[in-house]
Amino acid sequence: MKKKDIYLVLVLGIAAILMFVFINISHQTAGNNIKITIDGKVYGTYSLQEDQVIEVKEDLGINRVQIKNGKAKMIEADCPDGYCMDQNEISKENETIVCLPHKLVVEVILENRIDNEIDGISK
Amino acid sequence: MGFLNNLGGIKVSRRVTYAAILVALAMTFSYIEVLIPINIGLPGMKLGLANLIVLIGFYILRPQEVFFISLIRILLMGCLFGNGLSLMYSLSGGIVSYIIMLTLKNIKGFSIVGISIAGGAGHNIGQILAAIWIIQNDKIIYYLPPLMIAGMITGALIGFLAKRILPTISKGSQKILIK
């Protein structure tokens, strides 16, 4: 290891840690809905308040997302690697579960329903 | 046969042989790697044994030859054991890490370990970029920091390994292979 190697490790390490901290800050508030997108297109939005199992059936395969006690988890997927089922439960805003082979992303969002209603009325 | 002469005249068959051996070794390493999975809940995380070959290649062959060794390895492994998508991830990771490692190799002052660490991080950056493009969702960038750190750790391991074996390899190859 030379001097420049050390600098390189420090720069890369600090960059990764800063990104990590920044991302964690954005994961603090609890969300109320999950949004499922496939290939960048929104498949559906579901409330985290209701316990349910969402079956996502698409050309690439099937995924089952379970919502229980305000947390979402991938409980079933017929993708080849199955990594999505290993990922942790999500409940905080911006947390995600990704199923790469199916191009599927489950993300927690925070939608303020009251604001939406007021907007609706004022229009 | 002007193309072959440009590669170094009579030494060309030796260079081709070396390149072929490295491709075969890189493929073997990629295959072995499947047998030793590191599962720490990070998709896309692996040891990157094949990068050992790319690293060694940088010190005994020309950069463009190393590029083709890496490219052929990725394409062949993709055809044999992967699918279209996994090929995209490997290709993107391989190209980004190649560019980063070549750049550092050309800048004086970085050791093979440092080059390998940057290559490991670069590989995972490339894979995330491919994933963002494939699934059309930039939220996946959240996986980058842990993957970058993981890439740097495995990169360091591979780098130290390369540092140990490089003297032996270059002793045998210096008569045949010119920079």
Side-chain angles (χ1 to χ4, degrees):
Chain A
M1 297 277 277
K2 293 183 186 167
K3 221 179 195 176
K4 278 193 183 172
D5 291 342
I6 311 281
Y7 293 150
L8 178 88
V9 170
L10 286 177
V11 168
L12 287 177
I14 289 169
I17 290 166
L18 281 180
M19 267 195 285
F20 186 75
V21 168
F22 180 76
I23 287 164
N24 268 320
I25 290 170
S26 73
H27 285 176
Q28 287 300 315
T29 38
N32 53 12
N33 287 337
I34 56 164
K35 186 169 83 183
I36 298 177
T37 50
I38 294 165
D39 208 358
K41 290 182 223 31
V42 179
Y43 179 88
T45 310
Y46 309 88
S47 170
L48 273 174
Q49 269 80 47
E50 304 163 29
D51 287 0
Q52 54 186 312
V53 175
I54 305 141
E55 191 180 75
V56 185
K57 233 178 184 170
E58 276 289 299
D59 306 341
L60 291 163
I62 299 172
N63 291 70
R64 278 197 187 83
V65 183
Q66 182 195 56
I67 299 176
K68 207 176 172 185
N69 304 326
K71 287 176 178 162
K73 185 161 175 48
M74 186 75 72
I75 51 164
E76 215 183 311
D78 60 355
C79 54
D81 54 24
Y83 281 133
C84 49
M85 287 176 285
D86 294 338
Q87 293 174 35
N88 293 333
E89 292 179 321
I90 52 170
S91 61
K92 304 248 166 55
E93 192 185 4
N94 284 331
E95 281 185 324
T96 55
I97 294 176
V98 177
C99 181
L100 279 183
H102 292 170
K103 303 182 182 179
L104 183 143
V105 180
V106 182
E107 60 180 282
V108 179
I109 51 172
L110 184 65
E111 275 183 352
N112 201 329
R113 291 215 198 95
I114 300 160
D115 280 359
N116 287 346
E117 269 170 36
I118 292 169
D119 283 350
I121 293 164
S122 62
K123 276 170 198 164
Chain B
M1 300 296 275
F3 167 69
L4 286 181
N5 287 332
N6 287 342
L7 281 172
I10 197 156
K11 286 169 183 149
V12 68
S13 59
R14 281 171 177 172
R15 304 184 74 86
V16 171
T17 314
Y18 251 81
I21 292 171
L22 290 187
V23 170
L25 259 178
M27 286 182 72
T28 314
F29 284 167
S30 298
Y31 184 68
I32 290 172
E33 199 164 65
V34 182
L35 305 174
I36 29 170
I38 331 168
N39 200 344
I40 54 164
L42 269 179
M45 149 115 202
K46 55 181 182 176
L47 194 51
L49 267 177
N51 200 39
L52 189 58
I53 299 301
V54 178
L55 271 175
I56 299 286
F58 274 129
Y59 288 83
I60 62 173
L61 292 169
R62 293 178 180 142
Q64 62 268 41
E65 292 163 346
V66 179
F67 182 78
F68 282 109
I69 289 171
S70 183
L71 187 70
I72 290 168
R73 198 268 311 175
I74 290 166
L75 291 179
L76 286 177
M77 291 309 285
C79 293
L80 286 172
F81 305 105
N83 52 52
L85 281 180
S86 63
L87 184 66
M88 291 301 298
Y89 294 118
S90 310
L91 210 54
S92 170
I95 290 172
V96 173
S97 97
Y98 173 86
I99 293 169
I100 289 179
M101 290 195 292
L102 183 64
T103 310
L104 292 192
K105 176 83 183 12
N106 288 333
I107 301 171
K108 291 272 175 291
F110 289 103
S111 79
I112 195 165
V113 181
I115 293 173
S116 180
I117 290 171
H123 191 271
N124 287 342
I125 292 170
Q127 285 195 315
I128 290 282
L129 291 178
I132 289 173
W133 181 69
I134 288 169
I135 67 171
Q136 294 288 314
N137 191 319
D138 54 13
K139 283 275 155 48
I140 199 164
I141 202 151
Y142 294 145
Y143 292 88
L144 185 56
L147 272 176
M148 245 176 88
I149 300 287
M152 287 168 67
I153 295 168
T154 55
L157 290 173
I158 298 295
F160 282 117
L161 208 57
K163 199 182 169 191
R164 287 294 296 274
I165 61 176
L166 188 61
T168 319
I169 292 180
S170 42
K171 212 181 281 173
S173 62
Q174 65 189 1
K175 284 175 195 154
I176 339 166
L177 302 167
I178 18 137
K179 290 253 170 80

